[in-house]
């Protein structure tokens, strides 16, 4: 029995310098929608394309790489990476592929937070 009682939700909290700019970036590039924003708390929350998973953007003056790395599944990795690159999104190196298992690549949001896309190759 777990220590906590999970409710099938996950919020991935990211530190950002400008919540509005970051929220706009997530909407444009990943198709997320804003759920709410609380200026007094310095917090904006976005829905993702996965039921029960949200992204929280907390304002911070000092944002460092590696504070979290959410991994977003995609149906077509190559097409997704190409579209992000064409939009000016910076990737952290080459695609890593484990044959028959997964393709992954890390990229950055405007504040340098590490994110990743992945395609499950075992389904095909």
């Amino acid at each position: 029995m777990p220590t906590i009682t999970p409710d099938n939700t996950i919020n991935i909290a990211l530190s950002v310098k400008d919540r509005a700019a970051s929220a706009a970036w997530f909407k444009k590039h990943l198709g997320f929608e804003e759920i709410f924003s609380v200026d007094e708390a310095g917090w904006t929350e976005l829905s993702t394309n996965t039921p029960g998973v949200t992204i929280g953007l907390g304002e911070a003056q000092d944002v460092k790489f590696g504070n979290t790395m959410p991994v977003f599944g995609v149906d077509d990795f190559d097409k997704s990476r190409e579209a992000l690159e064409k939009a000016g999104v910076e990737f952290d190196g080459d695609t890593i592929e484990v044959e028959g298992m997964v393709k992954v690549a890390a990229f950055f949001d405007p504040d340098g937070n590490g994110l990743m896309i992945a395609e499950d190759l075992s389904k095909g």
Side-chain angles (χ1 to χ4, degrees), residues 74-90:
V74 296
D75 290 330
D76 185 328
F77 180 91
D78 295 328
K79 189 175 183 178
S80 298
R81 179 171 179 149
E82 181 181 328
L84 287 169
E85 287 177 327
K86 281 184 180 177
V89 175
E90 180 185 349

Side-chain angles (χ1 to χ4, degrees), residues 44-82:
T44 298
E45 198 156 316
L46 305 163
S47 64
T48 68
N49 305 8
T50 305
V53 178
T54 58
I55 299 288
L57 306 175
E59 282 186 350
Q61 290 187 2
D62 187 25
V63 177
K64 296 180 181 178
F65 176 79
N67 60 345
T68 190
M69 180 149 320
V71 180
F72 302 100
V74 296
D75 290 330
D76 185 328
F77 180 91
D78 295 328
K79 189 175 183 178
S80 298
R81 179 171 179 149
E82 181 181 328

Side-chain angles (χ1 to χ4, degrees), residues 80-102:
S80 298
R81 179 171 179 149
E82 181 181 328
L84 287 169
E85 287 177 327
K86 281 184 180 177
V89 175
E90 180 185 349
F91 276 76
D92 183 25
D94 297 329
T95 297
I96 297 169
E97 181 174 350
V98 179
E99 190 173 334
M101 294 184 69
V102 69

Side-chain angles (χ1 to χ4, degrees), residues 14-72:
L14 299 173
S15 298
V16 299
K17 294 176 186 172
D18 182 332
R19 287 181 300 118
S22 292
W25 188 91
F26 279 98
K27 291 175 191 178
K28 177 180 178 181
H29 296 297
L30 299 177
F32 297 171
E33 295 296 326
E34 187 170 315
I35 299 169
F36 64 88
S37 187
V38 182
D39 292 337
E40 300 82 3
W43 184 259
T44 298
E45 198 156 316
L46 305 163
S47 64
T48 68
N49 305 8
T50 305
V53 178
T54 58
I55 299 288
L57 306 175
E59 282 186 350
Q61 290 187 2
D62 187 25
V63 177
K64 296 180 181 178
F65 176 79
N67 60 345
T68 190
M69 180 149 320
V71 180
F72 302 100

